[in-house]
Amino acid sequence: NTHLTLHFQITMGAEDCWTWGIHQFLARGCGKPITNFVQCCQKAGEDPKDRFPPLPALQASEGKDQPCNQELMMAQRCIVHQFWEKPGETKCRKSFEAFVEGDDADGKSEQRLTKAWRCAFEGRNYERPLLQLIRQADAVGACRASGRGCTN
């Protein structure tokens, strides 16, 4: 018997490699809370891909009573902290800093998290890797890093 081993190298453009790198960074640091959110949504009959992006401001108060809000907030908190701690990341820095460094005793922690989350989801910031992350987690039922890199 002859064993044939094939190695595939995926070549992506610079933007795709950046997206993949952010996705993997977040999966390594926040896999558990993201998995908890995805699995909660699946059990509740909710689509995590619909729940993950921030709600428009007019609908935000309606979203507070939806299932899996605790799990969503834990995933959001983890992601914001991960971005805050990532060297060299400058996007949304002020919003992330306000959340991470804010005093929860003032009762505005949720407002700061909402602002940081909205900034992260702006198209020019982290929308692509965040959507890729939640789609992949929903497809496989868990959020895991692959351990593979990307070349461009």
Side-chain angles (χ1 to χ4, degrees), residues 34-55 63 66-69 71-72 117 121 130-141:
I34 294 167
T35 295
N36 290 344
F37 168 67
V38 166
Q39 290 176 351
C40 178
C41 285
Q42 290 171 340
K43 287 177 187 168
E46 297 278 325
D47 187 343
K49 297 180 301 300
D50 292 340
R51 296 284 315 283
F52 203 58
L55 289 171
Q66 291 184 330
C68 308
N69 269 358
E71 292 81 359
L72 175 58
W117 195 241
F121 253 97
L130 288 169
L131 290 175
Q132 178 178 301
L133 178 74
I134 199 65
R135 287 178 187 135
Q136 181 266 339
D138 184 42
V140 300

Side-chain angles (χ1 to χ4, degrees), residues 10-66:
I10 299 173
T11 303
M12 299 183 194
E15 179 71 15
D16 291 329
C17 279
W18 175 83
T19 297
W20 179 250
I22 295 292
H23 170 161
Q24 294 302 297
F25 167 75
L26 294 174
R28 281 189 299 278
C30 298
K32 183 144 181 72
I34 294 167
T35 295
N36 290 344
F37 168 67
V38 166
Q39 290 176 351
C40 178
C41 285
Q42 290 171 340
K43 287 177 187 168
E46 297 278 325
D47 187 343
K49 297 180 301 300
D50 292 340
R51 296 284 315 283
F52 203 58
L55 289 171
L58 295 174
Q59 295 176 341
S61 62
E62 297 170 17
K64 290 184 179 187
D65 295 329
Q66 291 184 330

Side-chain angles (χ1 to χ4, degrees), residues 40-104:
C40 178
C41 285
Q42 290 171 340
K43 287 177 187 168
E46 297 278 325
D47 187 343
K49 297 180 301 300
D50 292 340
R51 296 284 315 283
F52 203 58
L55 289 171
L58 295 174
Q59 295 176 341
S61 62
E62 297 170 17
K64 290 184 179 187
D65 295 329
Q66 291 184 330
C68 308
N69 269 358
Q70 260 326 102
E71 292 81 359
L72 175 58
M73 284 181 58
M74 294 305 291
Q76 291 170 336
R77 287 175 177 274
C78 183
I79 289 167
V80 168
H81 274 276
Q82 284 293 109
F83 279 134
W84 169 247
E85 294 172 1
K86 187 172 185 347
E89 286 299 323
T90 59
K91 298 174 183 183
C92 302
R93 199 73 186 158
K94 288 182 182 178
S95 296
F96 294 163
E97 179 179 14
F99 174 72
V100 172
E101 302 291 327
D103 181 4
D104 289 347

